[in-house]
Amino acid sequence: MSHHEISILGRTFKAQAGRYDRFWRRVRKGNWEQATYAAFERHEGLETLYIDFGAWIGPTVLFAAQSAQVSVALEPDPAAFAELEANLAANAGAPWQDRIVPLNLGIHKSGRPLTLYTNSAEGGDSMSSVLARGKDHSVTIETRRLEDVVRDYRGSTQYTFV
């Protein structure tokens, strides 16, 4: 399968071609979340645990993992998570790829399953929510408490960047 090669602020990663081509072209052209990438550049480093709530298909975690010690990518939407895993596989062999921990779940104070509502039966559009307003489809997702994720993945990191 073909891939997009994305370079942002001197960091390069690959993204699977397909359903999200239009989005990845925006990222490659620098037309998406430049302030977010700049914040990563300023505030994270090898002593950092990075936690990405709603990692979606990976545009921020693929960037952040290149400098963070550990990057936890939380994505509860099953369709988005499958695409995230494909994008992680596209970067197999990258020296930072093994520092990403993909988790198909969300964060909630209870740590119990929740209903996630989506705009379409296929999901994956980055607009899923625990709020049902305007959403026609749903799926039950697993959650964990934030403090449990931090405890389990912090290791020897000094900082946590969420």
Side-chain angles (χ1 to χ4, degrees), residues 11 44 46 50 60-71 96-97 99-100:
R11 301 183 199 184
E44 56 149 38
L46 287 176
Y50 167 58
T60 54
V61 76
L62 292 166
F63 177 86
Q66 295 183 48
S67 66
Q69 184 174 329
V70 178
S71 294
W96 46 267
Q97 198 268 344
R99 297 193 307 241
I100 300 174

Side-chain angles (χ1 to χ4, degrees), residues 1 11 14 18 23-24 33 36 47 64 100-101 103 106 113 116 123 138 140 143-144 146 148 151 157-158:
M1 176 163 271
R11 301 183 199 184
K14 295 176 184 173
F23 169 76
W24 288 117
E33 297 284 341
T36 300
E47 68 283 347
I100 300 174
V101 179
L103 299 175
L116 183 71
S138 66
T140 300
T143 71
R144 298 228 15 236
L146 176 59
D148 295 337
R151 181 197 65 233
T157 61
Q158 186 175 3

Side-chain angles (χ1 to χ4, degrees), residues 4-15 24-32 34 37 41 59 62-63 66 91 96:
H4 297 277
E5 187 158 312
I6 316 276
S7 290
I8 302 165
L9 299 173
R11 301 183 199 184
T12 301
F13 58 87
K14 295 176 184 173
W24 288 117
R25 281 193 294 275
R26 281 185 62 209
V27 174
R28 190 174 56 235
K29 290 178 182 177
N31 295 328
W32 188 80
Q34 289 304 304
Y37 292 127
E41 191 77 3
L62 292 166
F63 177 86
Q66 295 183 48
N91 290 280
W96 46 267

Side-chain angles (χ1 to χ4, degrees), residues 42-102:
R42 281 191 311 275
H43 297 293
E44 56 149 38
L46 287 176
E47 68 283 347
T48 304
L49 164 64
Y50 167 58
I51 301 175
D52 190 341
F53 296 156
W56 189 40
I57 61 176
T60 54
V61 76
L62 292 166
F63 177 86
Q66 295 183 48
S67 66
Q69 184 174 329
V70 178
S71 294
V72 177
L74 297 153
E75 179 49 61
D77 182 309
F81 188 76
E83 189 75 15
L84 171 64
E85 287 188 308
N87 289 329
L88 294 177
N91 290 280
W96 46 267
Q97 198 268 344
D98 65 342
R99 297 193 307 241
I100 300 174
V101 179

Side-chain angles (χ1 to χ4, degrees), residues 138-152:
S138 66
V139 62
T140 300
I141 62 163
E142 296 299 316
T143 71
R144 298 228 15 236
R145 297 175 334 135
L146 176 59
E147 55 267 32
D148 295 337
V149 171
V150 171
R151 181 197 65 233
D152 290 350

